[in-house]
Amino acid sequence: MSKVLVAYFSASGVTAKLAKRLAEAIGADLHEIQPEVPYTDADLDWMDKKSRSSVEMNNKSFRPTVANKVENMEQYSVIFTAFPSYNVKP
């Protein structure tokens, strides 16, 4: 029997709700991806070009370190990932 995982990152909780609904609907395990350094409200201010989230989005060398890993990842044959996606045009 194959195992399924829904791994998600959610800064505001919107993506978490979606991931939890998906995992429940398909009977998958659920894993919240957490950054080593938690985000503050100021970090998430996408209107500020110098905010942490803006810098990370625009420069791949500034991606956050993940604090928690999935143990025994090889047990999963299907992995869904959910994360925020912002398509904002100034």
Side-chain angles (χ1 to χ4, degrees):
M1 181 170 157
S2 62
K3 289 190 74 169
V4 179
L5 175 70
V6 175
Y8 71 95
F9 170 75
S10 184
S12 66
V14 174
T15 304
K17 289 178 189 174
L18 171 75
K20 290 173 185 176
R21 287 180 61 195
L22 174 61
E24 185 177 303
I26 63 176
D29 291 343
L30 188 65
H31 175 76
E32 179 182 7
I33 301 166
Q34 299 172 345
E36 193 169 86
V37 176
Y39 288 89
T40 65
D41 288 342
D43 291 336
L44 298 171
D45 182 3
W46 59 270
M47 298 287 285
D48 178 0
K49 293 190 184 305
K50 293 183 180 183
S51 73
R52 178 177 164 194
S53 60
S54 295
V55 171
E56 290 174 351
M57 184 173 59
N58 291 314
N59 187 333
K60 290 182 181 183
S61 67
F62 283 92
R63 297 294 195 250
T65 302
V66 175
N68 58 335
K69 310 280 185 186
V70 176
E71 291 193 28
N72 303 317
M73 183 65 88
E74 66 279 354
Q75 69 182 314
Y76 298 104
S77 59
V78 176
I79 301 170
F80 291 94
T81 56
F83 50 91
S85 177
Y86 305 104
N87 294 316
V88 179
K89 305 229 186 230

